[in-house]
Amino acid sequence: MRPRRPLALVCVSAALLSACGVLPGGSDGRHTVTVWLMQNSASPEFLRRFTADFERTHKDIRVDIRIQQWTGIVDKVQTALKSDSAGAPDVIEVGNTQVPQYVEGGRLTDLTLESMRDWGKEHWLPGLAEPGRDDSRQYGIPWYAANRVVIYRKDLFRKAGITSPPRTRDEWLADTEKLNSGGNQGIYLAGQDWYTLSGFIWDEGGDLAVETDAAWQGALDSPAALRGMDFYRRLQALGAGPVDADEEHPPQAQVFASGQVAQLIAVPGLAQSIVQENPELKDEIGYFPVPGRTAAHPGAVFTGGSDLVVPQNTDRPYDAAAVVGALAGAKWDTELARTMNYVPNKTTLAGAVAGSEGVAAMAAGAAQGRATPNTPDWPAVEAANPIKGYMTKVLRGADPATEARRASRRITELLAPDFG
């Protein structure tokens, strides 16, 4: 692969591109940019319209979008990042928390200058931007987000005399206690829903793990993290969620649809599954952001979603950056959010989804969103997941501080495998 200049030294016209020695990528003289996007991230109609518009405004670039499956994608991307093949992708959609794995080894293009100069990084959702950053360098460009909200039954709220959703944690606990009566569950919250716990910990100023002197250590035993776990314990007790299972065992949509459950915490899209199970609830489902400690802003939530990255081994860095800039730009990012019921990548674009109650609640929470610790070793923690065991023990009455220290030690071991 030929050496390349920094991406910032971009040629500004087709004539200059020719002078720079960029070779055509197709029989019509266009340069082909191969883009890997994940299945169901965007509709075929959206991709058709984006491609037609981009190629109309970029006469020298052809976009070749190839849809990938989530299963096995990490290994496939790692292989592609090491490939010298002409068919390797030039732009890749990756899960936001996967970016640190790909940054390791220096196989992604540094897009910091473009982010600051052209792409408005100061307005990006923190839960998408932070995992895409390594020190001061930006490698992952936020594309779209999704996060948990409170899904609730309007009819049960009315019967309990609750006229508006709670805006603070104290109000939430008080309302949930009212709802948890007469055979109803105030909330269905499984005991091992560690993503929801993470938000409560972040809201208290704590974290799951922290980096000190270039080493990561578990932090569930900090005072802030213990306060987050205590709030989780109090909320979870106002329902009949199992203490030894997560939200998928049994699937919480089925529980909500079949029982007298007033609330659950999930992405708004779960409401579709609920209505499929119980069509009578179609007009009784509402949404509100996870409440915060004060009414000033919603609570912190785990933000999932996707970033766009450009591999170092691309021969089309300037063209790849143009595609990323268009996909993540206001026009098409807003269109994607409206089409797919996502949260746009910037807080300034939240108004674009204000017409959908569920997505609007999600966007309000996303402004306070976070992601898992920004280390390539975090997947090892999720695989072993000592957080789940810790939660179950506390909910069964074990001493929180003692169990938090044990779980934190295990997280530290998993984040430092060479020393564990």
Side-chain angles (χ1 to χ4, degrees):
M1 182 174 67
R2 64 182 181 352
R4 299 191 304 274
R5 291 160 298 174
L7 183 55
L9 300 180
V10 62
C11 298
V12 295
S13 71
L16 285 176
L17 282 171
S18 177
C20 287
V22 178
L23 300 176
S27 59
D28 60 358
R30 289 176 181 258
H31 312 144
T32 298
V33 174
T34 300
V35 181
W36 282 9
L37 299 181
M38 302 308 300
Q39 185 179 37
N40 300 324
S41 286
S43 68
E45 175 62 16
F46 170 88
L47 296 177
R48 185 195 66 76
R49 288 187 288 110
F50 168 79
T51 300
D53 182 77
F54 183 87
E55 292 183 349
R56 178 180 58 81
T57 56
H58 298 76
K59 301 296 186 183
D60 56 341
I61 302 176
R62 176 189 290 119
V63 179
D64 178 16
I65 295 176
R66 304 182 183 182
I67 303 301
Q68 309 297 313
Q69 305 293 321
W70 283 108
T71 302
I73 192 59
V74 172
D75 289 341
K76 188 171 184 178
V77 170
Q78 294 283 25
T79 299
L81 294 178
K82 300 174 184 177
S83 174
D84 289 327
S85 169
D90 304 294
V91 176
I92 308 175
E93 174 195 350
V94 300
N96 61 324
T97 60
Q98 294 174 347
V99 180
Q101 299 177 69
Y102 305 135
V103 170
E104 193 175 38
R107 300 189 184 277
L108 296 183
T109 297
D110 181 356
L111 299 171
T112 306
L113 180 57
E114 290 71 24
S115 301
M116 297 173 61
R117 183 189 62 197
D118 304 322
W119 296 341
K121 66 176 294 184
E122 67 272 17
H123 299 301
W124 282 340
L125 296 178
L128 294 180
E130 291 171 3
R133 187 182 307 126
D134 185 56
D135 292 328
S136 60
R137 296 184 177 90
Q138 193 74 40
Y139 296 96
I141 305 306
W143 193 24
Y144 66 84
N147 51 266
R148 288 161 175 77
V149 301
V150 182
I151 300 175
Y152 74 101
R153 279 186 53 171
K154 296 178 180 179
D155 57 335
L156 296 183
F157 269 54
R158 287 194 301 270
K159 290 178 182 177
I162 302 170
T163 58
S164 61
R167 297 184 59 196
T168 70
R169 282 189 180 180
D170 288 343
E171 291 175 0
W172 194 18
L173 284 174
D175 287 349
T176 303
E177 189 169 5
K178 288 181 184 178
L179 292 159
N180 193 47
S181 62
N184 298 333
Q185 292 189 57
I187 189 169
Y188 180 84
L189 182 57
Q192 296 183 349
D193 186 353
W194 70 276
Y195 284 118
T196 294
L197 170 64
S198 300
F200 298 158
I201 290 174
W202 293 327
D203 226 20
E204 292 287 348
D207 212 331
L208 306 177
V210 295
E211 187 177 21
T212 305
D213 297 328
W216 284 89
Q217 296 181 327
L220 293 177
D221 55 340
S222 72
L226 287 169
R227 289 195 300 271
M229 182 64 220
D230 185 63
F231 179 79
Y232 190 99
R233 178 189 60 78
R234 295 166 66 194
L235 184 66
Q236 199 272 341
L238 298 175
V243 299
D244 58 351
D246 61 25
E247 63 274 22
E248 293 301 323
H249 301 91
Q252 60 179 351
Q254 294 180 7
V255 177
F256 191 90
S258 61
Q260 293 294 103
V261 177
Q263 305 171 90
L264 59 75
I265 302 170
V267 294
L270 193 71
Q272 297 178 9
S273 298
I274 293 170
V275 172
Q276 287 176 355
E277 294 276 343
N278 187 351
E280 294 181 1
L281 295 179
K282 180 179 179 181
D283 297 325
E284 297 295 349
I285 291 178
Y287 313 84
F288 59 88
V290 172
R293 296 178 64 191
T294 72
H297 56 72
V301 289
F302 170 76
T303 301
S306 286
D307 284 10
L308 300 169
V309 299
V310 175
Q312 271 278 7
N313 59 2
T314 178
D315 286 327
R316 302 289 172 204
Y318 316 123
D319 298 343
V323 173
V324 170
L327 278 170
K331 174 182 178 179
W332 287 105
D333 202 76
T334 297
E335 184 67 17
L336 179 70
R338 288 171 172 161
T339 300
M340 304 299 294
N341 290 326
Y342 294 145
V343 178
N345 62 3
K346 292 180 178 177
T347 56
T348 51
L349 299 177
V353 294
S356 169
E357 182 185 359
V359 182
M362 193 163 56
Q368 312 299 324
R370 295 276 299 275
T372 48
N374 192 2
T375 164
D377 295 312
W378 185 255
V381 176
E382 293 197 19
N385 216 321
I387 305 172
K388 287 185 173 183
Y390 156 65
M391 296 172 72
T392 294
K393 290 176 181 177
V394 172
L395 294 177
R396 284 178 170 164
D399 178 62
T402 300
E403 298 304 330
R405 285 193 294 271
R406 289 174 178 165
S408 294
R409 285 196 297 269
R410 181 57 180 148
I411 291 173
T412 300
E413 293 170 358
L414 292 165
L415 294 179
D418 291 339
F419 303 99

